[in-house]
Amino acid sequence: MSQSQWKQMFLGAVCLALAAAIWGGVYVVSKVVLEVIPPFTLLILRFCIALVVLGAFTVARKERVAKKDYPLLMVIAFVGVTISIAAQFLGTKLSTAHMGALITSASPAFIAIFAVWILKERIHFKQAMGILLATIGVIIVIGVPDQADAQSSLAGNLILFVAAISWGLYTVLSKKATQRYSSLLVTTYVALFGIIFTSPLMFWELSVTSVSWQFGWDIWAGVLYIGMISTAGAFYLWNKGFELIPAGSGAGFFFVQPIVGAFLGWLLLHEHLGVGFFAGGAFIFLGVALSTLRTRESAKKKRETTVEHPLPHYNEKQG
Protein backbone atom coordinates (compact mmCIF):
# COMPACT_ATOMS: atom_id res chain seq x y z
CA MET A 1 0.00 0.00 0.00
CA SER A 2 1.36 3.40 -0.94
CA GLN A 3 1.99 6.12 1.63
CA SER A 4 -0.96 8.17 0.34
CA GLN A 5 -3.28 5.16 0.68
CA TRP A 6 -2.11 4.54 4.24
CA LYS A 7 -2.67 8.20 5.06
CA GLN A 8 -6.18 8.08 3.60
CA MET A 9 -7.06 4.93 5.53
CA PHE A 10 -5.68 6.34 8.77
CA LEU A 11 -7.46 9.68 8.37
CA GLY A 12 -10.75 7.93 7.57
CA ALA A 13 -10.41 5.70 10.64
CA VAL A 14 -9.67 8.71 12.87
CA CYS A 15 -12.71 10.60 11.53
CA LEU A 16 -15.08 7.67 12.12
CA ALA A 17 -13.69 6.92 15.58
CA LEU A 18 -13.99 10.57 16.63
CA ALA A 19 -17.56 10.83 15.32
CA ALA A 20 -18.65 7.69 17.17
CA ALA A 21 -16.86 8.84 20.33
CA ILE A 22 -18.61 12.22 20.21
CA TRP A 23 -22.00 10.52 19.81
CA GLY A 24 -21.18 8.28 22.76
CA GLY A 25 -20.33 11.28 24.91
CA VAL A 26 -23.36 13.33 23.93
CA TYR A 27 -25.67 10.97 25.85
CA VAL A 28 -24.30 12.44 29.07
CA VAL A 29 -25.13 15.98 27.92
CA SER A 30 -28.49 15.18 26.34
CA LYS A 31 -29.63 13.32 29.48
CA VAL A 32 -29.60 16.68 31.27
CA VAL A 33 -30.92 18.81 28.41
CA LEU A 34 -33.83 16.49 27.56
CA GLU A 35 -35.20 16.96 31.06
CA VAL A 36 -36.31 20.48 30.08
CA ILE A 37 -36.41 20.47 26.25
CA PRO A 38 -38.57 17.86 24.45
CA PRO A 39 -36.77 15.63 21.93
CA PHE A 40 -38.05 16.89 18.56
CA THR A 41 -37.59 20.49 19.63
CA LEU A 42 -34.03 19.71 20.68
CA LEU A 43 -33.50 17.95 17.34
CA ILE A 44 -34.48 21.12 15.44
CA LEU A 45 -32.35 23.32 17.69
CA ARG A 46 -29.28 21.13 17.19
CA PHE A 47 -29.60 21.10 13.42
CA CYS A 48 -30.28 24.85 13.24
CA ILE A 49 -27.04 25.47 15.13
CA ALA A 50 -25.24 22.95 12.93
CA LEU A 51 -26.58 24.63 9.80
CA VAL A 52 -25.22 28.02 10.88
CA VAL A 53 -21.76 26.54 11.56
CA LEU A 54 -21.59 24.35 8.46
CA GLY A 55 -23.26 26.94 6.24
CA ALA A 56 -20.60 29.54 7.07
CA PHE A 57 -17.83 27.23 5.87
CA THR A 58 -19.82 26.15 2.81
CA VAL A 59 -20.48 29.74 1.72
CA ALA A 60 -16.81 30.60 2.22
CA ARG A 61 -15.80 27.73 -0.07
CA LYS A 62 -18.42 28.76 -2.67
CA GLU A 63 -19.53 25.19 -3.31
CA ARG A 64 -22.66 24.48 -5.30
CA VAL A 65 -24.94 21.50 -5.87
CA ALA A 66 -26.33 20.60 -9.30
CA LYS A 67 -30.14 20.68 -9.43
CA LYS A 68 -30.28 17.04 -10.50
CA ASP A 69 -28.67 16.00 -7.19
CA TYR A 70 -31.13 17.79 -4.90
CA PRO A 71 -33.45 14.73 -4.72
CA LEU A 72 -30.57 12.55 -3.46
CA LEU A 73 -29.67 15.05 -0.73
CA MET A 74 -33.33 15.35 0.26
CA VAL A 75 -33.62 11.58 0.59
CA ILE A 76 -30.43 11.46 2.68
CA ALA A 77 -31.78 14.13 5.05
CA PHE A 78 -35.21 12.52 5.31
CA VAL A 79 -33.76 9.07 6.02
CA GLY A 80 -30.98 10.20 8.37
CA VAL A 81 -32.70 12.97 10.33
CA THR A 82 -36.48 12.73 10.05
CA ILE A 83 -36.66 8.92 10.15
CA SER A 84 -33.56 7.63 11.94
CA ILE A 85 -33.00 10.20 14.68
CA ALA A 86 -36.73 10.75 15.24
CA ALA A 87 -37.26 6.98 15.45
CA GLN A 88 -34.41 6.71 17.96
CA PHE A 89 -36.04 9.35 20.18
CA LEU A 90 -39.55 7.91 19.91
CA GLY A 91 -38.48 4.27 20.21
CA THR A 92 -36.42 4.95 23.33
CA LYS A 93 -39.35 6.81 24.87
CA LEU A 94 -41.76 3.91 24.23
CA SER A 95 -39.23 1.22 25.13
CA THR A 96 -36.17 1.64 27.38
CA ALA A 97 -32.78 3.30 27.03
CA HIS A 98 -31.16 -0.12 27.49
CA MET A 99 -33.05 -1.62 24.55
CA GLY A 100 -32.46 1.54 22.53
CA ALA A 101 -28.70 1.20 22.85
CA LEU A 102 -28.81 -2.52 22.09
CA ILE A 103 -31.10 -2.44 19.04
CA THR A 104 -29.57 0.61 17.35
CA SER A 105 -26.16 -1.05 17.62
CA ALA A 106 -27.29 -3.22 14.72
CA SER A 107 -26.65 -0.29 12.36
CA PRO A 108 -23.17 -1.47 11.17
CA ALA A 109 -24.67 -4.70 9.83
CA PHE A 110 -27.14 -2.69 7.76
CA ILE A 111 -24.36 -0.35 6.60
CA ALA A 112 -22.56 -3.40 5.20
CA ILE A 113 -25.73 -4.75 3.56
CA PHE A 114 -26.62 -1.44 1.90
CA ALA A 115 -22.99 -1.01 0.78
CA VAL A 116 -23.28 -4.27 -1.17
CA TRP A 117 -26.66 -3.34 -2.63
CA ILE A 118 -26.16 0.35 -3.46
CA LEU A 119 -22.39 0.84 -3.77
CA LYS A 120 -21.67 -2.65 -5.19
CA GLU A 121 -18.97 -3.20 -2.56
CA ARG A 122 -17.88 -6.72 -1.65
CA ILE A 123 -18.08 -7.66 2.02
CA HIS A 124 -15.33 -10.17 2.71
CA PHE A 125 -15.24 -12.81 5.41
CA LYS A 126 -12.94 -10.84 7.72
CA GLN A 127 -15.17 -7.78 7.49
CA ALA A 128 -18.26 -9.85 8.34
CA MET A 129 -16.44 -11.51 11.24
CA GLY A 130 -15.28 -8.11 12.46
CA ILE A 131 -18.85 -6.79 12.57
CA LEU A 132 -19.99 -9.99 14.33
CA LEU A 133 -17.25 -9.73 16.98
CA ALA A 134 -18.05 -6.06 17.59
CA THR A 135 -21.76 -6.87 17.91
CA ILE A 136 -20.96 -9.50 20.54
CA GLY A 137 -18.86 -6.90 22.33
CA VAL A 138 -21.77 -4.43 22.42
CA ILE A 139 -24.07 -7.10 23.87
CA ILE A 140 -21.47 -7.85 26.56
CA VAL A 141 -21.05 -4.16 27.41
CA ILE A 142 -24.76 -3.36 27.51
CA GLY A 143 -25.77 -6.70 29.02
CA VAL A 144 -28.58 -9.14 28.43
CA PRO A 145 -32.04 -7.59 28.84
CA ASP A 146 -33.43 -8.15 32.34
CA GLN A 147 -37.03 -8.53 33.50
CA ALA A 148 -37.65 -4.79 33.26
CA ASP A 149 -36.49 -4.81 29.65
CA ALA A 150 -38.75 -7.76 28.94
CA GLN A 151 -41.67 -5.44 29.60
CA SER A 152 -40.50 -3.01 26.92
CA SER A 153 -43.06 -1.93 24.38
CA LEU A 154 -43.02 -4.06 21.25
CA ALA A 155 -43.90 -0.97 19.20
CA GLY A 156 -40.96 0.90 20.73
CA ASN A 157 -38.56 -1.91 19.91
CA LEU A 158 -39.79 -2.09 16.33
CA ILE A 159 -39.34 1.68 15.95
CA LEU A 160 -35.78 1.35 17.29
CA PHE A 161 -35.17 -1.34 14.68
CA VAL A 162 -36.33 1.13 12.03
CA ALA A 163 -33.82 3.63 13.42
CA ALA A 164 -31.01 1.09 13.01
CA ILE A 165 -31.98 0.23 9.43
CA SER A 166 -32.44 3.85 8.36
CA TRP A 167 -29.07 4.89 9.83
CA GLY A 168 -27.38 2.21 7.77
CA LEU A 169 -29.14 3.52 4.66
CA TYR A 170 -28.28 7.12 5.54
CA THR A 171 -24.58 6.27 5.89
CA VAL A 172 -24.36 4.51 2.52
CA LEU A 173 -26.36 7.18 0.67
CA SER A 174 -24.11 9.84 2.20
CA LYS A 175 -21.05 7.99 0.92
CA LYS A 176 -22.62 7.95 -2.53
CA ALA A 177 -23.15 11.70 -2.33
CA THR A 178 -19.57 12.35 -1.18
CA GLN A 179 -18.35 10.69 -4.36
CA ARG A 180 -19.68 13.81 -6.13
CA TYR A 181 -19.42 16.55 -3.49
CA SER A 182 -17.37 17.35 -0.40
CA SER A 183 -18.43 15.98 2.98
CA LEU A 184 -18.91 19.56 4.17
CA LEU A 185 -21.43 20.36 1.43
CA VAL A 186 -23.34 17.09 1.90
CA THR A 187 -23.57 17.55 5.67
CA THR A 188 -24.74 21.15 5.26
CA TYR A 189 -27.61 20.16 2.97
CA VAL A 190 -28.53 17.26 5.25
CA ALA A 191 -28.91 19.76 8.09
CA LEU A 192 -30.98 22.13 5.92
CA PHE A 193 -33.40 19.55 4.54
CA GLY A 194 -33.50 17.75 7.89
CA ILE A 195 -34.83 20.93 9.51
CA ILE A 196 -37.46 21.36 6.78
CA PHE A 197 -38.71 17.79 6.96
CA THR A 198 -38.66 17.49 10.77
CA SER A 199 -40.20 20.88 11.65
CA PRO A 200 -43.81 19.55 11.54
CA LEU A 201 -42.89 17.09 14.31
CA MET A 202 -41.53 19.94 16.42
CA PHE A 203 -44.66 22.07 15.93
CA TRP A 204 -46.85 19.12 16.88
CA GLU A 205 -44.72 18.45 19.95
CA LEU A 206 -44.86 22.06 21.14
CA SER A 207 -48.64 22.09 20.66
CA VAL A 208 -49.05 19.24 23.16
CA THR A 209 -46.10 19.97 25.46
CA SER A 210 -45.58 22.94 27.76
CA VAL A 211 -42.01 24.23 27.61
CA SER A 212 -40.48 26.98 29.75
CA TRP A 213 -37.71 28.72 27.84
CA GLN A 214 -36.13 30.26 30.92
CA PHE A 215 -33.15 27.91 31.02
CA GLY A 216 -29.93 28.24 32.95
CA TRP A 217 -26.58 28.73 31.28
CA ASP A 218 -25.78 25.04 31.70
CA ILE A 219 -28.77 24.00 29.55
CA TRP A 220 -27.90 26.48 26.79
CA ALA A 221 -24.27 25.36 26.93
CA GLY A 222 -25.51 21.78 26.49
CA VAL A 223 -27.64 22.80 23.51
CA LEU A 224 -24.66 24.53 21.89
CA TYR A 225 -22.48 21.50 22.49
CA ILE A 226 -25.05 19.16 20.97
CA GLY A 227 -25.54 21.45 17.97
CA MET A 228 -21.93 22.40 17.26
CA ILE A 229 -19.94 19.35 18.36
CA SER A 230 -22.23 16.33 18.15
CA THR A 231 -24.15 17.47 15.07
CA ALA A 232 -22.05 19.83 12.92
CA GLY A 233 -18.75 18.24 13.93
CA ALA A 234 -19.66 14.56 14.30
CA PHE A 235 -21.92 14.36 11.23
CA TYR A 236 -19.18 15.94 9.12
CA LEU A 237 -16.55 13.55 10.51
CA TRP A 238 -18.82 10.55 9.91
CA ASN A 239 -19.45 11.50 6.28
CA LYS A 240 -15.78 12.39 5.77
CA GLY A 241 -14.66 9.05 7.15
CA PHE A 242 -16.85 7.11 4.75
CA GLU A 243 -15.64 9.32 1.93
CA LEU A 244 -12.12 8.02 2.58
CA ILE A 245 -12.65 4.30 3.26
CA PRO A 246 -15.09 1.61 2.06
CA ALA A 247 -18.46 1.47 3.83
CA GLY A 248 -18.06 -2.20 4.74
CA SER A 249 -14.76 -1.55 6.51
CA GLY A 250 -15.86 1.63 8.25
CA ALA A 251 -19.12 0.25 9.64
CA GLY A 252 -17.45 -1.26 12.68
CA PHE A 253 -16.35 2.12 14.01
CA PHE A 254 -19.95 2.78 15.05
CA PHE A 255 -19.30 0.44 17.97
CA VAL A 256 -16.93 2.96 19.56
CA GLN A 257 -20.08 4.85 20.60
CA PRO A 258 -21.29 2.55 23.41
CA ILE A 259 -17.76 2.17 24.77
CA VAL A 260 -17.27 5.94 25.13
CA GLY A 261 -20.82 6.40 26.39
CA ALA A 262 -20.33 3.80 29.13
CA PHE A 263 -16.92 5.21 30.10
CA LEU A 264 -18.19 8.80 30.39
CA GLY A 265 -21.22 7.54 32.30
CA TRP A 266 -18.78 6.03 34.82
CA LEU A 267 -16.54 9.11 34.88
CA LEU A 268 -19.18 11.84 35.08
CA LEU A 269 -22.35 10.13 36.31
CA HIS A 270 -20.60 7.61 38.60
CA GLU A 271 -22.19 4.62 36.88
CA HIS A 272 -20.70 1.21 37.62
CA LEU A 273 -18.38 -0.48 35.13
CA GLY A 274 -17.94 -4.21 35.56
CA VAL A 275 -15.72 -6.80 33.95
CA GLY A 276 -18.21 -6.98 31.06
CA PHE A 277 -17.30 -3.45 29.99
CA PHE A 278 -13.63 -4.30 29.49
CA ALA A 279 -14.33 -7.72 27.97
CA GLY A 280 -16.89 -6.24 25.58
CA GLY A 281 -14.54 -3.39 24.73
CA ALA A 282 -11.86 -5.88 23.76
CA PHE A 283 -14.29 -7.64 21.42
CA ILE A 284 -15.32 -4.34 19.86
CA PHE A 285 -11.79 -3.13 19.15
CA LEU A 286 -10.80 -6.57 17.87
CA GLY A 287 -13.78 -6.53 15.51
CA VAL A 288 -12.97 -3.04 14.24
CA ALA A 289 -9.33 -4.01 13.66
CA LEU A 290 -10.35 -7.17 11.81
CA SER A 291 -12.84 -5.39 9.55
CA THR A 292 -10.29 -2.73 8.53
CA LEU A 293 -7.47 -5.27 8.10
CA ARG A 294 -9.21 -6.74 5.05
CA THR A 295 -9.15 -3.37 3.29
CA ARG A 296 -5.41 -2.99 3.82
CA GLU A 297 -4.76 -6.52 2.56
CA SER A 298 -6.89 -5.95 -0.55
CA ALA A 299 -5.08 -2.73 -1.36
CA LYS A 300 -1.70 -4.46 -0.93
CA LYS A 301 -2.66 -7.33 -3.26
CA LYS A 302 -3.97 -4.89 -5.82
CA ARG A 303 -0.71 -2.95 -5.71
CA GLU A 304 1.38 -6.14 -6.04
CA THR A 305 -0.71 -7.27 -9.01
CA THR A 306 -0.20 -3.91 -10.69
CA VAL A 307 3.57 -4.10 -10.21
CA GLU A 308 3.86 -7.69 -11.47
CA HIS A 309 1.62 -7.14 -14.50
CA PRO A 310 1.93 -3.49 -15.48
CA LEU A 311 0.87 -4.15 -19.08
CA PRO A 312 -1.78 -6.39 -20.65
CA HIS A 313 -0.52 -9.86 -21.56
CA TYR A 314 0.95 -9.97 -25.06
CA ASN A 315 -0.10 -12.89 -27.18
CA GLU A 316 2.51 -13.76 -29.86
CA LYS A 317 -0.17 -15.27 -32.10
CA GLN A 318 -1.98 -11.98 -32.16
CA GLY A 319 1.26 -10.16 -32.90
Side-chain angles (χ1 to χ4, degrees):
M1 182 181 292
S2 66
Q3 185 176 358
S4 60
Q5 289 174 320
W6 272 106
K7 183 178 180 181
Q8 178 175 313
M9 282 289 299
F10 177 76
L11 181 59
V14 169
C15 288
L16 293 176
L18 281 176
I22 291 171
W23 286 328
V26 79
Y27 283 110
V28 177
V29 179
S30 61
K31 184 174 183 179
V32 177
V33 176
L34 283 170
E35 291 180 356
V36 293
I37 302 178
F40 295 126
T41 304
L42 178 59
L43 188 153
I44 292 297
L45 286 175
R46 67 185 287 189
F47 277 95
C48 283
I49 295 172
L51 181 61
V52 171
V53 175
L54 295 168
F57 287 102
T58 302
V59 171
R61 294 180 59 170
K62 298 180 180 180
E63 293 187 76
R64 297 289 185 271
V65 174
K67 291 183 179 179
K68 64 181 179 65
D69 290 323
Y70 277 114
L72 174 61
L73 295 173
M74 289 179 181
V75 170
I76 293 172
F78 184 75
V79 170
V81 179
T82 307
I83 295 180
S84 187
I85 297 181
Q88 182 180 349
F89 279 142
L90 182 59
T92 302
K93 181 178 180 179
L94 295 176
S95 182
T96 64
H98 185 103
M99 290 300 294
L102 183 60
I103 294 174
T104 55
S105 292
S107 292
F110 293 110
I111 292 174
I113 292 171
F114 284 120
V116 173
W117 178 34
I118 297 176
L119 302 177
K120 310 304 179 184
E121 291 185 3
R122 294 180 60 190
I123 303 300
H124 298 280
F125 177 75
K126 287 185 179 179
Q127 292 173 325
M129 287 301 299
I131 292 175
L132 177 61
L133 285 175
T135 302
I136 293 173
V138 169
I139 294 174
I140 293 174
V141 170
I142 299 176
V144 179
D146 54 24
Q147 292 182 353
D149 292 321
Q151 300 175 355
S152 299
S153 165
L154 175 61
N157 292 341
L158 290 175
I159 292 173
L160 287 168
F161 192 63
V162 171
I165 296 174
S166 54
W167 186 256
L169 181 58
Y170 159 80
T171 299
V172 173
L173 289 176
S174 294
K175 179 174 177 60
K176 183 177 181 179
T178 56
Q179 293 173 347
R180 308 177 190 177
Y181 303 102
S182 70
S183 299
L184 176 63
L185 189 64
V186 171
T187 311
T188 301
Y189 274 90
V190 166
L192 173 62
F193 290 126
I195 292 171
I196 295 173
F197 295 143
T198 315
S199 291
L201 291 173
M202 181 196 68
F203 292 130
W204 166 80
E205 182 178 64
L206 292 176
S207 69
V208 297
T209 306
S210 177
V211 180
S212 173
W213 294 96
Q214 297 179 349
F215 306 139
W217 67 267
D218 55 335
I219 298 298
W220 286 116
V223 172
L224 288 174
Y225 173 84
I226 293 172
M228 297 179 66
I229 306 300
S230 74
T231 306
F235 268 70
Y236 168 75
L237 289 170
W238 188 253
N239 291 338
K240 183 65 176 180
F242 279 99
E243 178 185 339
L244 296 173
I245 64 178
S249 297
F253 284 93
F254 186 84
F255 293 113
V256 174
Q257 176 177 314
I259 288 291
V260 174
F263 174 76
L264 290 179
W266 165 78
L267 182 65
L268 300 177
L269 302 179
H270 307 292
E271 297 177 352
H272 175 69
L273 291 182
V275 177
F277 170 79
F278 299 99
F283 270 90
I284 290 172
F285 287 114
L286 177 62
V288 171
L290 188 62
S291 64
T292 54
L293 177 64
R294 175 66 201 185
T295 301
R296 291 193 287 268
E297 290 180 349
S298 298
K300 182 179 180 181
K301 289 180 179 179
K302 183 177 180 181
R303 180 169 174 265
E304 290 175 349
T305 302
T306 303
V307 173
E308 293 175 1
H309 305 285
L311 296 174
H313 180 69
Y314 177 78
N315 191 325
E316 292 183 355
K317 292 183 180 180
Q318 293 177 347

